Each structure stands twice: as C-alpha cells, then as structure tokens.
Amino acid sequence: MPRLMRTMARTAVVAGTATAVSGRVARRQNNRWQDQADAQAYEEQQMAPPPQAYAAPAPAAPSTDDKLGQLKELGALKEAGVLTDAEFEAQKAKILAG
C-alpha cells in the first residue's frame, strides 16, 4: 500500500507541475502575441496618412442685383438724412469693391 501511495503522490506532483508549466507557457505566448499585435497596430497608425484639412470655401461674390439693392438702400438712408456724405461714400466704396 505505501508503494501505491508513493506512485499516486508522484503522479499528482508531476500533473501539478505540468499544469503550472503549461499555464505559464500559455501566458507567455499570449503576452508575446499581444505585444506583436500592439506593435503592428502602432506601426499601421504611424503609416496612415494624416487627415486632410479642407479650407472653407470663399464666400460667393454678391451678384449685381444684390449690389444694386444695397446701393438703393444706401441712397434711401442718405436721402432720409441717416447717413452723412462721408459715410455714404465709404459704404458705397465697400459695396462696389466687393
């Protein structure tokens, strides 16, 4: 009977050791694979082109009809005495310039 107990104990120790070793090997492999995946993801991120920034479109130039309407309103304000001659000329120049 002691021989049977010794064999069982030896078997238990071998099985426990094998389980511990295989678990450690599996953890190490998983860590290596994760490190490789992280490194690859980092490289792909570094190689990706930066996002392009688009400039805002230039505002559309006012049409001739818009300019005429603004000039008419400006003339009406001058006639009503709201604008002085200098203010009228300054605003007219702005409208015609742009």
Side-chain angles (χ1 to χ4, degrees):
M1 188 86 140
R3 187 174 178 160
L4 179 63
M5 292 295 275
R6 200 174 338 162
T7 303
M8 288 175 47
R10 189 177 303 145
T11 303
V13 168
V14 169
T17 303
T19 302
V21 168
S22 70
R24 188 172 28 203
V25 169
R27 270 194 309 276
R28 239 188 296 156
Q29 285 178 342
N30 284 337
N31 287 340
R32 276 191 207 146
W33 292 337
Q34 186 63 44
D35 290 345
Q36 288 176 353
D38 290 345
Q40 185 177 6
Y42 178 76
E43 288 175 11
E44 288 174 1
Q45 182 181 11
Q46 294 301 318
M47 293 178 68
Q52 292 188 0
Y54 295 103
S63 69
T64 306
D65 292 337
D66 292 339
K67 287 182 181 181
L68 285 175
Q70 290 175 342
L71 288 172
K72 285 181 181 178
E73 288 178 24
L74 199 60
L77 290 172
K78 183 183 173 204
E79 294 284 326
V82 176
L83 295 176
T84 65
D85 287 338
E87 291 171 332
F88 173 77
E89 291 300 324
Q91 291 299 320
K92 182 174 87 170
K94 279 185 184 178
I95 292 171
L96 294 176

